[in-house]
Amino acid sequence: MKTYNLKKGVTLVIISVLLFSCTPFEDLTNDPNKATSVPPSMLLSEVLQVVNNVGGEGPWSDAQRDNQFWVISFDYYGNQDYNWGAINSYRYNTLANVVAMEKEAKGLDSQNKYEALAKFFKAYFYDYMAKRVGDIPLSESLKGDAEISITKPKYDSQKDVYTAVLDLLEAANDQITLAKSEVGTSAVLGDFFFNGDLDKWQRTINSFHLRVLINLSKKNSELSVASKFNTIISNPSKYPLLRGLEDNMVRNFGDEQGNRYELNPSSYGFNRNRNIMGATYLNLLKNNNDPRIYVVADPAPFYFNANDPKNLNAYVAANSGDDQGQMQTDSDAGKYSYPNESRYYSNFQGEPYIQIGYSEQEFTIAEAINRGWISGGNAESHYLNGIKASMQFYGVAQDDIDTFLLNSNVVYGGNNTTGLNQILTQKYIAFFNNSGRESYFNYRRTGIPAFNVGPANNNGGKIPLRWRYPVSEFENNSSNVKAALSSQFGGTDDINAQMWMIK
């Protein structure tokens, strides 16, 4: 994947005309010196840029700290605070680009390959917003250019949002199948993730579909989640899935401005001794003698013995709830493990950042089988696929993988609570610094693994269940956002309140 740096000015102007103007587009006077349309390929690249930049949730970001993969020791640069505020913004501007892409692509081919992708992006961004806050506008969203303009859209229930999301993903798979039959698998311009390969897009869409379904596991009876999941798994010719690491949807980094991995040679002096490995994550590796520990972390200098370089006692992490003052003192004394220097500070590429990946998919399928959603499936096989794929991502030697899989704590305990805990724990480990906040969402849904709380928590010893609505909504759409709060949370924008999907 190459880096894409787009000039957004023309695109944003055109989109604002297409989507938000009260004047019908066809009534506007054409200026021969100005563009009156935007190629769908350019709009697709604009949408993919948003996906690619992962909204501040990339590797070693605050989001990954909230996931308890790492902690920060310097209070000047950050904290371990779980008293979350509002999400920065919705994603309707990006969805406006998606709608514009659909309009511009009409007539290119009868099956409109861009429209197939648009259905996925709508599902992707509606899911992104809804699982963070709860109810959101959907049915009346993006209506600023309609015959009857709606500038203050009502909020749809989270149940209705996810009903629509699942319908969009089903429709996206159907349409991309038809598009492939008409234009082949490599006909989408502007795609820097898969170079226009519709087959890989279809596999990604269906893998994402499984992610959405498993995140709705508590709503099986209301949305027929198990039945929908089983339909996908039992018909691989209709719903092709990711086959291995080569199909992962990833962001690749490099030594280009704005595209360097977060930890790199130029950042060494700034964050080397303030980024500390998080105990929730590292102790899971340590307790199982997991060879990934030697790839992602360095031993604490204070405890390191050159004559015994793989002594796990030298791998010491900090708790997310620890007081930063003491943490800083211990860090200065070399008593903590930092990210592996050779892996993360020797170049600007770091490692690929997985957005939607094979390992996650395999653990998701294993969980579904464990829960009894799929008759005749082999949960252990998918569980092992997930572990192996994660270890291969880190370049762990095959002999070490084989030895690890014989560990009594790792051998699959069966389709029971023990087996489910193993699946969810290994899924969390595989998410390390990848896939945004998916590890947090899995914890929120299942409680596995247990997240650490302590004096630095600043939220009454609780891990929040949501974010507050954007401040702009209270300024521009006050009555509707307040109605949504009233129907969900008794009128309070409470970060500890349970939204519908996790009740």
Side-chain angles (χ1 to χ4, degrees), residues 298-373:
D298 282 334
F302 184 87
Y303 302 105
F304 178 67
N305 182 349
N307 294 321
D308 189 12
K310 290 197 172 184
N311 187 336
L312 288 172
N313 291 326
Y315 287 80
V316 182
N319 291 312
S320 294
D322 285 351
D323 175 76
Q324 284 182 292
Q326 185 61 50
M327 193 190 301
Q328 180 56 51
T329 299
D330 291 340
S331 178
D332 289 342
K335 293 183 177 181
Y336 287 129
S337 291
Y338 303 130
N340 188 297
E341 184 173 332
S342 64
R343 184 174 181 84
Y344 297 113
Y345 285 102
S346 63
N347 58 60
F348 294 96
Q349 294 161 327
E351 61 193 22
Y353 175 80
I354 301 171
Q355 309 267 20
I356 300 170
Y358 173 74
S359 187
E360 174 193 354
Q361 171 189 286
E362 292 304 289
F363 288 124
T364 297
I365 296 172
E367 179 183 345
I369 297 171
N370 180 286
R371 292 183 180 278
W373 293 0

Side-chain angles (χ1 to χ4, degrees), residues 10 13-14 17 25 29-38:
V10 171
V13 168
I14 296 300
V17 169
F25 182 76
T29 302
N30 289 331
D31 183 340
N33 296 314
K34 293 183 180 180
T36 57
S37 64
V38 180

